[in-house]
Amino acid sequence: MSVVTAMKDIEKDQPAASAKPKYKRVLLKMSGEALMGPKEFGLDPETVARIAQDVKDVVDMGVEVCIVVGAGNIFRGVSGASNGMDRTTADHMGMLGIVINALCMQNALENVGVKTRVQSAIQMDQVCEPYIRRKAMRHMEKGRVVIFAAGTGNPYFTSDTGAALRASEMNCDLLAKGTKVNGIYTADPHKDPTAQKYDQLGYMDILTKDLKVMDATAVSLARENKIPVMVFSIREPGNFAKVIKGDGEYTIVSDK
Ligand code: UDP
């Protein structure tokens, strides 16, 4: 596939600019670092509040939204393991970090008037609901934002895989991955000034071109279940609603 797809193809696959959202149910995946804002570690309340407002804008458009967050701002299992920790224990710590981020996101969303539920893949009844698919579906039908915490609940997986799994289970029309950049590039645009942005890619391109967007398990799940993945910048305020309407910049990964 060419680097930048012909405009015709892009128009065919992406919603018309400023049109009503073509998506009914969307899963928003954010890395833990997205919640860190300008900080070196942890959570930045201003950034989290701004993202909550961005999510509210999409909910107000009538789109059902669920969220998966990571925990790179707190703890990653692989870093623990590279420092000599038992990998499974380190991954459990990573998943608990995800629960912290999910609760923070829940609090910020409720502050702007969005009804939410947190459902964790690791049961912790005093803190949030356990993950129950049918209950999650019902929450979303009632207009609540469901935040899926603790990834897949299993070590050796990533929150991207958790996102692809939940998006598949929830029959989402789109997995929207909010990142630091406005799409997928031929190389890291922060390091390589000649890097070019792709408008559209196939799932297999991510694997064959070894693009560092999502791990192979997450890509395979999305592909198998035909869930398009949209990569966009979560850093710009208001951008989530914009890309859901088909405005702004992003890369779409699908087999169309
Ligand atoms: N994790 C896990 N199983 C999962 C999802 C996450 O063990 O299904 C752990 C793993 O240690 C990972 C950490 O949680 O490093 C945080 O997730 P991730 O690295 O995907 O966060 P992100 O990069 O999205 O912030």
Side-chain angles (χ1 to χ4, degrees), residues 199-216:
D199 291 320
Q200 194 167 12
L201 280 168
Y203 300 101
M204 289 310 285
D205 293 324
I206 307 283
L207 307 177
T208 54
K209 295 180 199 295
D210 196 23
L211 299 166
K212 311 273 180 238
V213 196
M214 276 185 146
D215 60 275

Side-chain angles (χ1 to χ4, degrees), residues 29-33 69-73 75-78 87 90-95 98 150-162:
K29 160 72 198 347
M30 285 176 290
S31 67
E33 281 170 7
V69 280
N73 57 326
F75 191 82
R76 277 205 180 93
V78 274
R87 172 69 192 261
D91 279 341
H92 284 154
M93 289 170 66
M95 286 186 273
I98 296 178
T152 64
N154 301 292
Y156 298 97
F157 286 92
T158 63
S159 55
D160 276 354
T161 299

Side-chain angles (χ1 to χ4, degrees), residues 113-127:
V114 177
K115 296 267 181 291
T116 64
R117 291 291 187 275
V118 173
Q119 288 202 347
S120 173
I122 296 175
Q123 213 159 320
M124 41 183 91
D125 295 346
Q126 282 72 17
V127 176

